[in-house]
Amino acid sequence: MAPLFEDEVFLAFSTYATIVVLKTMLMAPLTAYYRFTRGAFANDEDVPGKSEEQKKRLLRSHPEVERIRRCHQNDLENIIPFVIIGLLYSLTGPDVSTALTYFRVFAASRVCHTVAYVLPLPQPSRALCWMTGMVVTFCMAYRVLTETFHL
Amino acid sequence: MAPLFEDEVFLAFSTYATIVVLKTMLMAPLTAYYRFTRGAFANDEDVPGKSEEQKKRLLRSHPEVERIRRCHQNDLENIIPFVIIGLLYSLTGPDVSTALTYFRVFAASRVCHTVAYVLPLPQPSRALCWMTGMVVTFCMAYRVLTETFHL
Amino acid sequence: MAPLFEDEVFLAFSTYATIVVLKTMLMAPLTAYYRFTRGAFANDEDVPGKSEEQKKRLLRSHPEVERIRRCHQNDLENIIPFVIIGLLYSLTGPDVSTALTYFRVFAASRVCHTVAYVLPLPQPSRALCWMTGMVVTFCMAYRVLTETFHL
């Protein structure tokens, strides 16, 4: 196995990065579930064998489907940057307990964000979850920049 | 060159990751092509020197442009997770032939997905391509989690 | 620290990758700022304690908010591929000055792209910025493919 995996921080990073990326990917089947149960599709070929009138009724946007899609998009906008900056951060040799705290807080904040978005919970719960994740990524980015700065 | 490139799996990962990311990027010129040929733009400054009436006709969404954009979005939602999890997977020292199979199946599934989306082909062709790619990423994620598990 | 950071190219890559990812992330607070100042929200729970009539007026899409969101989306579509391909490129042991030129040109092109999109500047300024970034990523992808080719 690569020597990177002899490093405890890199092991933890791999685990948490995989978990949050899997969480992002699970938004896709969730969208499909909402599309079928709410009867709201985006493509003509997704409603085969229907009359023209039925198609017109099924090819529409539905507020609950759009909510899941916005949640998915928010994951892409926050989790991918976390993974990229977290990878570089893990390579800077940070303190193990600090790194673990960052990873745990980020993963928890994104799970809570999804719950707050999908249910939905009243604000500012979703806003706070989102901000927590942003702050963790900014802290890691700060260390990457101070350790590697080379323009 | 970095010792990572002495590893056959990492070499193959680099090749396939680059190919699928390039495939994703090519959706952007394709969108531009559809915008120009269908006359459907998103920004006021993209239709310079036109009368107000012409602008109103050109600043609209077009079903074929939206189709390409959904295909691009689906690439982002599936190919970026594949690359992230595939990178970690490659570092776990997997069996070369298994890894090559995963990479090849994923790349083929995404090319077929794009063809099925753009033409479009009747369902369930697009759904099956999408699911194949998801399953490959889940298999790699399973190995990453079992090999690196550290919460 | 990981031996990767003994490599000047990898140090520079880490710095530039972090900068452009942070730039992407800053589009989110910018969107929030435009949502509040323009009074255009996406979720029911984002406008609490309002009458039904006020809600109807606030839950809408606004052209300036949509512009920022398109800019954010364009960042995701271009900056994430740059980071993935740039990471692999950095590991191929490229010439330091060539690598630095690529990273600098890309970062500059994306900052200019955002300025051209948000203000907005007349075309083809935005199109040229976008194309410059694409060309840099294609050049790096070409080197990755020629150095690692293994299908």
Side-chain angles (χ1 to χ4, degrees):
Chain A
M1 207 188 296
L4 284 169
F5 280 132
E6 284 159 22
D7 180 23
E8 200 179 332
V9 172
F10 200 82
L11 277 176
F13 167 73
S14 299
T15 306
Y16 282 100
T18 305
I19 288 171
V20 290
V21 170
L22 286 177
K23 194 228 84 50
T24 305
M25 292 177 72
L26 288 176
M27 299 311 287
L30 192 63
T31 306
Y33 171 78
Y34 271 76
R35 283 200 182 282
F36 277 96
T37 53
R38 270 62 175 174
F41 297 88
N43 296 293
D44 213 59
E45 69 270 25
D46 298 349
V47 285
K50 306 274 182 187
S51 70
E52 278 310 303
E53 206 196 321
Q54 279 176 309
K55 277 197 179 179
K56 211 172 279 177
R57 232 184 26 246
L58 289 169
L59 294 174
R60 53 165 186 158
S61 75
H62 186 284
E64 290 183 71
V65 174
E66 295 309 305
R67 176 178 288 280
I68 307 297
R69 292 182 61 214
R70 283 196 299 275
C71 185
H72 196 171
Q73 181 69 14
N74 196 282
D75 275 354
L76 291 178
E77 290 169 6
N78 287 277
I79 286 177
I80 311 293
F82 164 82
V83 171
I84 293 170
I85 289 175
L87 174 71
L88 299 171
Y89 169 80
S90 301
L91 298 175
T92 63
D95 180 52
V96 177
S97 65
T98 313
L100 275 172
T101 308
Y102 283 161
F103 300 160
R104 283 170 188 158
V105 169
F106 183 85
S109 81
R110 293 312 301 184
V111 171
C112 295
H113 179 272
T114 302
V115 173
Y117 215 149
V118 172
L119 285 183
L121 298 178
Q123 287 281 29
S125 55
R126 197 186 85 227
L128 288 177
C129 294
W130 170 75
M131 250 182 260
T132 308
M134 289 282 273
V135 167
V136 168
T137 309
F138 283 139
C139 291
M140 296 195 307
Y142 177 76
R143 184 176 160 96
V144 174
L145 286 180
T146 50
E147 293 285 320
T148 74
F149 200 71
H150 193 298
L151 285 181
Chain B
M1 206 188 297
L4 284 170
F5 280 132
E6 284 160 22
D7 179 23
E8 199 179 333
V9 173
F10 200 81
L11 278 176
F13 168 72
S14 299
T15 306
Y16 282 101
T18 305
I19 288 170
V20 290
V21 170
L22 287 177
K23 194 229 84 50
T24 305
M25 292 177 73
L26 288 177
M27 299 311 287
L30 192 64
T31 306
Y33 171 79
Y34 271 77
R35 284 200 182 283
F36 276 96
T37 51
R38 271 63 176 174
F41 298 89
N43 296 293
D44 213 60
E45 68 270 25
D46 298 350
V47 285
K50 305 276 182 185
S51 70
E52 278 310 302
E53 205 196 322
Q54 279 176 308
K55 277 196 179 180
K56 212 172 280 176
R57 233 184 25 246
L58 289 170
L59 294 174
R60 53 166 186 156
S61 76
H62 186 285
E64 289 182 72
V65 174
E66 295 309 305
R67 176 177 288 279
I68 307 296
R69 292 182 62 215
R70 283 195 300 275
C71 184
H72 196 170
Q73 182 69 14
N74 196 282
D75 275 355
L76 291 178
E77 290 169 6
N78 288 278
I79 287 178
I80 310 293
F82 164 81
V83 171
I84 293 169
I85 289 174
L87 174 71
L88 299 170
Y89 169 79
S90 301
L91 297 175
T92 63
D95 181 52
V96 178
S97 65
T98 313
L100 275 171
T101 309
Y102 284 162
F103 300 161
R104 283 169 188 158
V105 170
F106 184 85
S109 81
R110 294 310 301 181
V111 171
C112 295
H113 180 272
T114 303
V115 172
Y117 216 148
V118 172
L119 284 183
L121 298 178
Q123 287 281 29
S125 55
R126 196 185 86 227
L128 288 177
C129 294
W130 169 74
M131 250 181 261
T132 307
M134 289 281 274
V135 167
V136 168
T137 309
F138 283 139
C139 290
M140 298 194 307
Y142 177 77
R143 182 174 161 98
V144 174
L145 286 180
T146 50
E147 294 284 320
T148 74
F149 201 71
H150 193 298
L151 284 179
Chain C
M1 205 188 294
L4 284 170
F5 279 132
E6 284 159 22
D7 179 23
E8 200 180 333
V9 172
F10 200 81
L11 277 176
F13 168 73
S14 299
T15 305
Y16 282 100
T18 305
I19 288 170
V20 289
V21 170
L22 286 177
K23 195 228 84 51
T24 305
M25 292 178 72
L26 288 176
M27 299 312 287
L30 192 64
T31 305
Y33 171 79
Y34 271 76
R35 283 200 182 282
F36 277 96
T37 53
R38 271 61 176 175
F41 298 89
N43 296 293
D44 213 59
E45 68 270 24
D46 298 349
V47 284
K50 306 275 182 186
S51 70
E52 277 311 301
E53 204 196 321
Q54 280 177 307
K55 277 197 180 180
K56 212 173 280 177
R57 233 186 23 248
L58 288 170
L59 293 174
R60 52 164 185 158
S61 75
H62 186 284
E64 291 183 72
V65 173
E66 294 310 304
R67 175 178 288 279
I68 307 296
R69 292 182 62 216
R70 283 196 299 275
C71 184
H72 196 171
Q73 182 69 14
N74 196 283
D75 275 355
L76 292 178
E77 290 169 5
N78 288 277
I79 287 178
I80 310 292
F82 163 81
V83 171
I84 292 169
I85 290 174
L87 174 71
L88 299 171
Y89 169 79
S90 302
L91 297 175
T92 63
D95 180 52
V96 177
S97 65
T98 312
L100 275 171
T101 309
Y102 283 161
F103 300 160
R104 284 170 188 157
V105 169
F106 183 85
S109 81
R110 294 311 300 183
V111 171
C112 295
H113 179 272
T114 302
V115 173
Y117 216 149
V118 172
L119 285 183
L121 299 178
Q123 286 281 29
S125 54
R126 198 185 84 228
L128 288 178
C129 294
W130 170 75
M131 250 181 261
T132 307
M134 289 281 274
V135 167
V136 168
T137 309
F138 284 138
C139 290
M140 297 194 307
Y142 177 76
R143 183 175 161 96
V144 174
L145 286 180
T146 49
E147 293 284 321
T148 75
F149 200 72
H150 193 298
L151 284 179

